[in-house]
Amino acid sequence: MDLSLRDLATRSGVSAPMLSQVERGETSPTLSVAERIAAGLELSLSQLLRLDEGDGVAVVRTKERAQGGARSRGHRYEVLTPPLPGQRAEVSLHALQPGATTGGPDDPPIHEAGSRETAVVAEGQLRLGCGRVAHDLEEGDSVTFDADLPHHFENPGEREARFYAVVAAGLRRS
């Protein structure tokens, strides 16, 4: 996550000197302070204390993928990553029918401030509309952009387009 002590202090409500003492092992936080530190790191207390460690592997089976999109408008997607607490990135597989879009040019962004998205075209053609600029992509092309800006994908081709999208949340520094 790459946070400074001051950043974590702001996010958690725990003072930077206290965080520094905990980090150096000079003091042990109370449960209340540990919970606030965990929240500032976007973790559960058990994750912070590593109480919920298994083998560190989370498998998402094909039949278990979360599904979405506007199928009636020719867009569908599956989320390939598990919904783990504190996870800062999501990978999804999208399919767009010819002429279909993921949204409109004036739709508000759906990703949190500071998010970045990378899309990789697996099949067909894809057009990214970001603001008022269009970027045409072919199979194998990839694009990375600030996902908190208004954007949408469309399929200008004559066959289904499939693409992978990776959204990394809140990483960009302003």
Side-chain angles (χ1 to χ4, degrees), residues 21 34 40-41 45 58 101 130 134 146 158 163:
Q21 289 175 351
L41 294 170
L45 182 58
T101 67
C130 196
D146 294 338
E158 296 181 13
F163 66 99

Side-chain angles (χ1 to χ4, degrees), residues 51-57:
L51 299 175
D52 60 353
E53 276 194 1
D55 63 2
V57 176

Side-chain angles (χ1 to χ4, degrees), residues 61-166:
R61 304 281 179 206
T62 303
K63 294 178 241 171
E64 298 168 346
R65 293 177 182 169
Q67 310 230 342
R71 293 178 191 275
S72 63
R73 293 192 341 226
H75 173 227
R76 68 182 191 282
Y77 68 86
E78 298 176 328
V79 178
L80 307 179
T81 45
L84 299 174
Q87 185 158 297
R88 302 295 298 156
E90 180 180 272
V91 179
S92 54
L93 174 59
H94 296 254
L96 281 175
Q97 295 301 312
T101 67
T102 60
D106 296 320
D107 287 353
I110 61 170
H111 303 295
E112 72 178 76
S115 297
R116 284 229 168 94
E117 183 167 347
T118 297
V120 181
V121 182
E123 297 175 26
Q125 299 174 306
L126 199 60
R127 179 174 292 137
L128 166 65
C130 196
R132 299 288 177 210
V133 179
H135 303 272
D136 289 322
L137 306 165
E138 303 288 329
E139 269 180 41
D141 290 347
S142 63
V143 61
T144 299
F145 58 94
D146 294 338
D148 56 357
L149 300 175
H151 67 277
H152 69 282
F153 290 98
E154 57 188 81
N155 179 356
E158 296 181 13
R159 64 184 176 105
E160 182 179 80
R162 294 171 54 85
F163 66 99
Y164 291 92
V166 179

